[in-house]
Amino acid sequence: MYSFTEENYLKAIYKLSDNNGSGVSTNSIAENMQTKAASVTDMIKKLSDKKLLKYEKYKGVNLSQKGKDVAIQTIRKHRIWEVFLHEKLKFGWEEVHEIAEQLEHIQSELLINKLDEFLGYPTHDPHGDPIPGENGEFHNNAFVSLDTVEANKKVILSGVINHSVPFLQHLKKIDLTLGQKLMVIEINEYDRSLKLLLNGKIEIFISNEVAKNILVK
Amino acid sequence: MYSFTEENYLKAIYKLSDNNGSGVSTNSIAENMQTKAASVTDMIKKLSDKKLLKYEKYKGVNLSQKGKDVAIQTIRKHRIWEVFLHEKLKFGWEEVHEIAEQLEHIQSELLINKLDEFLGYPTHDPHGDPIPGENGEFHNNAFVSLDTVEANKKVILSGVINHSVPFLQHLKKIDLTLGQKLMVIEINEYDRSLKLLLNGKIEIFISNEVAKNILVK
DNA sequence: ATATAAATTTAGATTTGTCTAAAATTAATA
DNA sequence: TATTAATTTTAGACAAATCTAAATTTATAT
């Protein structure tokens, strides 16, 4: 139905939309997709012709409902494949994204629904991001970042804000994984670094930079 | 490494090669790939420049070792994905080919090896075709077609020659599936149609046309 | 408010894979 | 063997997606 490239543009624009009504800029899309502004303008015209977004010269773009639908379905496929790669094939959470970038473009509604069923209808991907349903509905996560949690409160590591490979590798290295039980035992006023208790056993220190990028519930 | 299209051409040429030393013709490739001879000539030149095949004008092509390797790895990926779709996602054997045509182009050595491990290192796909190993080696099947089997001999349905959706659907309809135990109980001289016993229980009739396209061991 | 900077678009070119129509080559046949 | 038929190649064009460089529009700052 839609090309590889079209789906990638729609996904990028969807992620850059903050629903402020303000259009997504050409440059921000170019930066996000590692391409040039001129290429973005070309593609925007094409997507506009196909009614996937609204475009006014020099004013940026906004996805139409149709455009949002395609973006959300692509995200759904991406995240379901990530679960498969992590749960079944035992890929690390820092490895799944790149492969899912390819798998998300496989065209078959039936495939993704059967895969979803095979995986037991997961609600979140290996980074804690919610998986939209077949009809595109997101269940709100309501996670908070670890640097806002008060001392002595038990929480569960439920997601990350930074999805970069180095960050995910770092968390793995210090034994922080999704689903982990943790408790803040000390907050250092000076640099807002934290001392944590993992699974009621091991104590570790993390910087505020790390804490800000961890989501818990 | 190689594009979607390049891999498809190499796969088609590989399948059309009967190792007679005689080159694969432009027209046969065009027919196989549902495209035009002129397009094939263009692509052949490109693949020849990349040393994936040997090309002499008007004489057809022969894959180089490099070309064969790419073709075999693509076939390997295709068949492993077919096993996944059939065994794990419960797709029918007539449904798996089309989706595997897409999945075979996903680029990740690690992915296919982990998938292979997850599936328990299958040796055959859902149509009985052998799955080449990581190093490209095929284990020879040595199956025979059902129309050559003598009466009262017990055999196992191990593959098909015709891979078309209608044929596979027909076999499914008459309850013939891979791994099935069967015995020829009667061979009609007139039209070489057969009466079969399935699993030592049910009797069915099949035409010679069907028997010719079934492989057993 | 006007000059300068930043962002965006246009114009024209490139690459990949495809096509049609015409030309060239090889095969078939009378 | 000469002629027709079939196959294959070339020439030139096209669509998708990209790029560079130049032109245009919008934003910023003095």
Side-chain angles (χ1 to χ4, degrees):
Chain A
M1 196 64 172
Y2 299 104
S3 79
F4 226 85
T5 315
E6 286 170 333
E7 285 183 353
N8 282 336
Y9 269 91
L10 293 171
K11 203 174 50 141
I13 295 166
Y14 180 85
K15 286 182 177 172
L16 290 168
S17 304
D18 31 11
N19 296 324
N20 292 356
S22 67
V24 177
S25 75
T26 303
N27 256 5
S28 65
I29 298 169
E31 197 184 354
N32 191 279
M33 303 212 40
Q34 317 231 62
T35 184
K36 297 297 151 72
S39 310
V40 173
T41 303
D42 289 340
M43 179 55 70
I44 276 172
K45 284 179 186 164
K46 197 178 148 191
L47 296 174
S48 179
D49 290 346
K50 294 193 179 182
K51 310 283 183 204
L52 290 160
L53 48 78
K54 290 255 181 297
Y55 170 50
E56 264 189 286
K57 269 191 196 174
Y58 297 102
K59 304 279 178 171
V61 299
N62 285 101
L63 291 183
S64 67
Q65 190 54 49
K66 201 173 151 195
K68 277 181 205 167
D69 290 345
V70 176
I72 291 171
Q73 284 314 307
T74 307
I75 289 168
R76 170 172 153 82
K77 290 197 266 177
H78 182 101
R79 293 183 181 168
I80 288 176
W81 277 114
E82 282 194 346
V83 172
F84 171 70
L85 295 172
H86 183 64
E87 298 274 309
K88 302 295 182 182
L89 301 193
K90 308 301 177 193
F91 277 96
W93 66 353
E94 79 284 9
E95 300 176 296
V96 298
H97 178 77
E98 201 191 320
I99 301 175
E101 281 289 304
Q102 297 180 63
L103 288 164
E104 72 187 10
H105 302 293
I106 302 294
Q107 280 175 336
S108 168
E109 281 263 333
L110 188 53
L111 171 61
I112 205 65
N113 289 334
K114 284 198 176 233
L115 184 60
D116 191 30
E117 181 187 359
F118 177 65
L119 296 170
Y121 306 103
T123 57
H124 294 82
D125 76 13
H127 314 104
D129 296 314
I131 298 174
E134 247 193 281
N135 308 317
E137 73 286 3
F138 278 98
H139 25 262
N140 227 347
N141 255 344
F143 297 155
V144 295
S145 91
L146 182 55
D147 72 328
T148 67
V149 173
E150 57 198 89
N152 298 315
K153 207 167 177 181
K154 286 178 188 168
V155 291
I156 292 172
L157 201 166
S158 305
V160 291
I161 292 173
N162 180 347
H163 287 64
S164 75
V165 170
F167 180 67
L168 296 172
Q169 277 175 337
H170 176 65
L171 294 192
K172 204 176 188 179
K173 192 179 157 199
I174 61 177
D175 280 318
L176 283 177
T177 56
L178 211 70
Q180 181 111 50
K181 287 179 199 166
L182 35 96
M183 192 170 78
V184 177
I185 30 185
E186 201 180 320
I187 303 170
N188 294 300
E189 289 291 331
Y190 175 65
D191 62 357
R192 307 211 43 87
S193 66
L194 305 177
K195 190 195 277 186
L196 302 178
L197 188 65
L198 305 192
N199 291 322
K201 291 174 185 169
I202 309 149
E203 288 185 2
I204 63 167
F205 281 95
I206 63 169
S207 67
N208 177 261
E209 179 56 32
V210 167
K212 275 193 300 189
N213 283 294
I214 291 175
L215 292 170
V216 298
K217 74 169 174 210
Chain B
M1 194 65 171
Y2 299 105
S3 78
F4 230 83
T5 314
E6 286 170 334
E7 285 182 352
N8 283 335
Y9 269 92
L10 293 171
K11 204 174 49 141
I13 296 165
Y14 180 85
K15 287 182 175 172
L16 291 167
S17 304
D18 31 11
N19 296 323
N20 293 354
S22 66
V24 176
S25 75
T26 303
N27 255 4
S28 65
I29 299 169
E31 197 183 352
N32 191 279
M33 302 212 42
Q34 316 232 63
T35 184
K36 298 296 151 71
S39 310
V40 173
T41 303
D42 290 340
M43 178 55 71
I44 276 173
K45 284 180 187 164
K46 196 178 150 190
L47 296 174
S48 179
D49 290 346
K50 294 193 179 181
K51 309 283 183 206
L52 290 161
L53 48 79
K54 291 256 182 295
Y55 169 50
E56 263 189 285
K57 269 190 196 177
Y58 296 100
K59 304 277 178 175
V61 299
N62 284 102
L63 291 183
S64 67
Q65 191 54 51
K66 201 173 151 196
K68 277 180 203 164
D69 291 345
V70 175
I72 292 171
Q73 284 315 307
T74 307
I75 289 168
R76 170 173 153 82
K77 289 196 267 178
H78 182 101
R79 294 183 180 167
I80 289 176
W81 276 114
E82 281 195 346
V83 173
F84 171 70
L85 295 172
H86 184 64
E87 298 274 309
K88 302 296 181 182
L89 301 194
K90 309 301 178 192
F91 277 96
W93 66 352
E94 80 283 7
E95 299 176 298
V96 297
H97 178 78
E98 199 191 322
I99 301 176
E101 281 290 304
Q102 298 180 62
L103 287 164
E104 72 187 9
H105 302 293
I106 301 294
Q107 281 174 335
S108 169
E109 282 263 333
L110 188 53
L111 170 61
I112 205 65
N113 289 333
K114 284 198 175 232
L115 184 60
D116 192 29
E117 182 187 358
F118 176 65
L119 297 171
Y121 305 104
T123 58
H124 295 81
D125 76 13
H127 314 105
D129 296 314
I131 298 173
E134 246 193 282
N135 309 317
E137 73 286 4
F138 277 97
H139 26 262
N140 226 347
N141 255 346
F143 297 155
V144 295
S145 91
L146 182 56
D147 70 330
T148 68
V149 173
E150 57 198 88
N152 299 313
K153 207 168 176 181
K154 285 179 189 166
V155 293
I156 291 171
L157 201 166
S158 304
V160 291
I161 292 173
N162 180 347
H163 286 65
S164 76
V165 170
F167 181 67
L168 297 172
Q169 277 175 338
H170 176 64
L171 294 192
K172 203 178 190 180
K173 191 179 158 200
I174 60 176
D175 280 318
L176 284 177
T177 56
L178 211 71
Q180 181 112 48
K181 288 178 197 166
L182 34 98
M183 192 169 80
V184 177
I185 29 183
E186 200 181 320
I187 304 170
N188 294 299
E189 289 293 330
Y190 176 66
D191 61 357
R192 305 209 49 82
S193 65
L194 306 176
K195 191 194 278 186
L196 302 179
L197 188 66
L198 306 192
N199 292 321
K201 290 176 187 169
I202 309 150
E203 288 184 2
I204 63 167
F205 281 97
I206 63 169
S207 67
N208 176 260
E209 179 56 33
V210 167
K212 276 193 300 188
N213 283 294
I214 291 175
L215 293 170
V216 298
K217 74 168 177 213

